[in-house]
Amino acid sequence: SIPGGFDETRELMGDADLCIAYYEQPELVHDILDTIADTAYRVLDRVTATVQVDLLNVHEDMAGRSGPLIGPRQMKEFVTPYYRRLWDLAHSRGARLFMCDTDGNVDAIIPDLIAGGVNLLWPMEPAAGMDIVKVRERYGTQLAFLGGIDKHVIRRSREEIVAELKYKIPPMVRTGGCVLGLDHRIPNGTPLANYRFYVDKAWEIMDREAAKL
């Protein structure tokens, strides 16, 4: 893991002050990210010279339901270059996956995540409007995914569970590069019978689709 380009600076400054600093103190934000990047680079350089690292992870939680807390312009100026520097090192040493862990709707900044080297998104939160099927259609094999199944649906009717699984599992099995699962923890109040039904039905659909390949 590397520190988040947004998340680490947010932890240091607070959400509001960071978002203002992008406009009023850009040199400060650059200095913080350069310092973090220098440290992370030195650590990654030593580790990847000795150990095969398959996956680089960055935790961000940089978005809510209405969209990201950082805009495309700020991503391009501050965060994408930070990612790129560290991913280029890890990738040159054999890393294959660069995962960004963020809730919320990041549709507006997906191109900037990809430009930074990110090729795996988690958890693809449906409640925030992240539709794993549509994102795959838009970006193809540039992105792999973890999650994507609406965690809230397993508290509803069996018909709704089946509809969610039938919509998402077949196209993702066909195109690959996806570990399907709930987009977060199992919600409180989920009936055990619903959860068992969800698991059984998911395997049933996945096995059927896999047999077609």
Side-chain angles (χ1 to χ4, degrees), residues 6 10 15 60-71 101-109 123-130:
F6 176 84
R10 177 248 306 274
D15 292 88
E60 292 289 10
D61 273 355
M62 57 166 63
R65 288 190 179 191
S66 60
L69 301 172
I70 176 174
D101 174 356
T102 180
D103 296 336
N105 190 315
V106 291
D107 273 337
I109 58 170
M124 297 299 293
E125 188 179 12
M130 296 302 294

Side-chain angles (χ1 to χ4, degrees), residues 33-43 82 85-86:
L33 285 173
D34 288 346
T35 301
I36 295 171
D38 287 344
T39 304
Y41 191 97
R42 289 196 297 270
V43 173
Y82 165 75
R85 181 183 176 194
L86 299 176

Side-chain angles (χ1 to χ4, degrees), residues 13 32 58 72 74 76 78-79 95 131 142 188 193:
M13 302 178 70
I32 291 171
V58 62
Q74 288 71 39
K76 286 181 177 68
F78 299 100
V79 179
D131 186 321
Q142 292 182 87
N188 292 336

Side-chain angles (χ1 to χ4, degrees), residues 63-137:
R65 288 190 179 191
S66 60
L69 301 172
I70 176 174
R73 196 177 88 190
Q74 288 71 39
M75 280 291 297
K76 286 181 177 68
E77 180 178 351
F78 299 100
V79 179
T80 298
Y82 165 75
Y83 285 173
R84 192 78 249 177
R85 181 183 176 194
L86 299 176
W87 173 243
D88 283 348
L89 172 63
H91 186 57
S92 72
R93 302 279 174 82
R96 298 177 61 193
L97 296 170
F98 184 8
M99 181 173 78
C100 180
D101 174 356
T102 180
D103 296 336
N105 190 315
V106 291
D107 273 337
I109 58 170
I110 285 178
D112 306 299
L113 293 170
I114 293 173
V118 171
N119 57 16
L120 173 58
L121 290 180
W122 149 260
M124 297 299 293
E125 188 179 12
M130 296 302 294
D131 186 321
I132 199 170
V133 176
K134 292 180 180 177
V135 175
R136 168 53 55 82
E137 290 173 352

